[in-house]
Amino acid sequence: MSPAPQRLKVYLATPRGFCAGVDRAIQIVERALELYGAPVYVRHEIVHNRHVVDRLKALGAVFVKELEQCPPDRPVVFSAHGVPKSVPAEAKTRKMFYLDATCPLVSKVHVEAERHFREGREIVLIGHAGHPEVIGTMGQLPEGTVKLIETVDDARAFTPKDAGNVAFVTQTTLSVDDTSDIVGVLKDRFPEIAEPHKEDICYATTNRQEAVKQIGADCDLVLVIGSAKSSNSQRLVEVAMRAGARAAYLVDDASHVDWAWFEGVNTLGISAGASAPENLITDLIKAVTDRYDAEVIENAGVLETVTFKLPRVLTQA
């Protein structure tokens, strides 16, 4: 007789997976394909998830690095992370039809940065170097205008031209706790620093981190579904560890799980980054329940009701 499967409590974080900005960006590509046929070109990954990108490729989307790879007679979509101002300017010069899928909450940060620039402030951007969102935000203003700060040490070392005329904005997908520490240093050093009217870290990032905090302390192991390129997904792993999880890993999907991680595990937490589709979570839960006597418990998290409208050109067609 084979031994009974190991018992396992599975805590499912809520909310998890797609946010409104990701959902809108994907819908823009899908709707463009419906209206204009294939191919529709997309500059960079529409969101940071291989499964999403592969599905859109199968529908007729072509992903490129730069506009010069796009024919001028086909639609091109800009990714949810936002783009420097030079990109739509180039598209206009080439008379291209483009659709901007930038998340409205990222666009809010762009508007804030431009307002501070107009008002003559020295601007600090809290974020991760090389991330597409950071490149896009810094690219809203002349080169050298925005100073990037990644860590508390960077905040301590920052020396503005005028300590009384500084402002900060942030990437939308950062760790809430890490960013709070950096902002704390900036406010201590520059009491008059101008800050966002409403926090730049988006509601979805905040809610997903809070949900992982709620389950993390009770878990021997936490698995977060998401891409290694995804900032918000990486932050969820860090949040789980800080919350008290014994181990936490980022996985693309169920096929990337190392089942040796489950040795001695009695409690498992599952979450997903904001660009991970729900079917990947369903597949992971099935893979776990196929192997273990698992009780799945969904935590009572925030109910998200945010939606963003599609560009008018797509809804009026």
Side-chain angles (χ1 to χ4, degrees):
M1 181 184 293
S2 59
Q6 177 183 330
R7 297 197 69 181
L8 194 65
K9 277 195 173 180
V10 180
Y11 294 101
L12 189 57
T14 302
R16 60 188 177 272
F18 277 3
C19 64
V22 164
D23 195 42
R24 173 181 179 269
I26 294 168
Q27 285 187 56
I28 287 173
V29 179
E30 292 172 340
R31 181 68 174 146
L33 285 163
E34 288 174 15
L35 289 176
Y36 310 115
V40 166
Y41 287 76
V42 185
R43 184 185 178 276
H44 295 184
E45 292 185 345
I46 187 70
V47 297
H48 280 153
N49 188 276
R50 176 177 57 84
H51 296 272
V52 171
V53 169
D54 286 349
R55 186 178 70 81
L56 293 174
K57 280 182 180 177
L59 294 175
V62 177
F63 291 84
V64 298
K65 290 186 177 180
E66 300 300 340
L67 289 185
E68 63 190 27
Q69 297 170 266
C70 306
D73 60 341
R74 295 303 303 163
V76 59
V77 180
F78 302 153
S79 83
H81 308 105
V83 295
K85 274 191 170 178
S86 58
V87 175
E90 180 189 346
K92 287 176 182 174
T93 299
R94 297 181 59 193
K95 295 182 170 53
M96 302 178 79
F97 171 54
Y98 67 87
L99 297 159
D100 190 352
T102 300
C103 173
L105 299 180
V106 174
S107 296
K108 176 182 90 69
V109 178
H110 293 178
V111 170
E112 286 175 351
E114 290 183 283
R115 176 175 58 83
H116 291 311
F117 180 69
R118 284 196 309 272
E119 294 173 359
R121 296 187 184 96
E122 194 167 349
I123 303 163
V124 165
L125 169 61
I126 302 170
H128 297 299
H131 190 278
E133 184 184 328
V134 166
I135 293 168
T137 299
M138 296 183 79
Q140 300 306 301
L141 298 171
E143 190 171 350
T145 303
V146 182
K147 171 70 175 178
L148 181 64
I149 285 182
E150 298 188 80
T151 64
V152 165
D153 287 343
D154 289 345
R156 292 193 182 110
F158 171 58
T159 306
K161 299 181 183 73
D162 178 358
N165 196 29
V166 183
F168 77 85
V169 294
T170 83
Q171 185 179 334
T172 63
T173 55
L174 299 176
S175 159
V176 173
D177 294 336
D178 285 349
T179 306
S180 178
D181 291 342
I182 293 170
V183 169
V185 170
L186 290 173
K187 286 185 174 180
D188 285 345
R189 294 189 63 213
F190 315 112
E192 297 175 40
I193 193 166
E195 59 185 305
H197 296 307
K198 186 179 179 184
E199 187 177 55
D200 286 339
I201 296 176
C202 80
Y203 78 94
T205 297
T206 302
N207 290 347
R208 280 150 189 72
Q209 289 181 21
E210 187 57 38
V212 168
K213 280 182 187 177
Q214 288 177 17
I215 67 171
D218 297 322
C219 292
D220 299 320
L221 172 65
V222 173
L223 297 178
V224 176
I225 296 178
S227 168
K229 295 179 182 178
S230 168
S231 174
N232 78 85
S233 301
Q234 291 179 340
R235 303 294 79 78
L236 292 178
V237 174
E238 296 167 1
V239 166
M241 292 298 289
R242 287 182 184 172
R246 201 174 73 199
Y249 299 100
L250 182 65
V251 293
D252 268 354
D253 53 44
S255 70
H256 287 77
V257 172
D258 182 345
W259 297 102
W261 296 337
F262 283 70
E263 184 70 33
V265 167
N266 297 305
T267 52
L268 169 69
I270 293 176
S271 185
S275 48
E278 182 70 19
N279 68 288
L280 299 184
I281 302 155
T282 304
D283 291 348
L284 176 58
I285 293 170
K286 184 178 187 307
V288 170
T289 55
D290 283 349
R291 288 169 173 80
Y292 301 98
D293 178 12
E295 177 189 5
V296 180
I297 304 160
E298 186 160 5
N299 79 313
V302 175
L303 176 64
E304 293 179 343
T305 58
V306 177
T307 57
F308 295 130
K309 293 179 180 178
L310 299 184
R312 192 174 297 172
V313 68
L314 297 181
T315 57
Q316 290 183 337

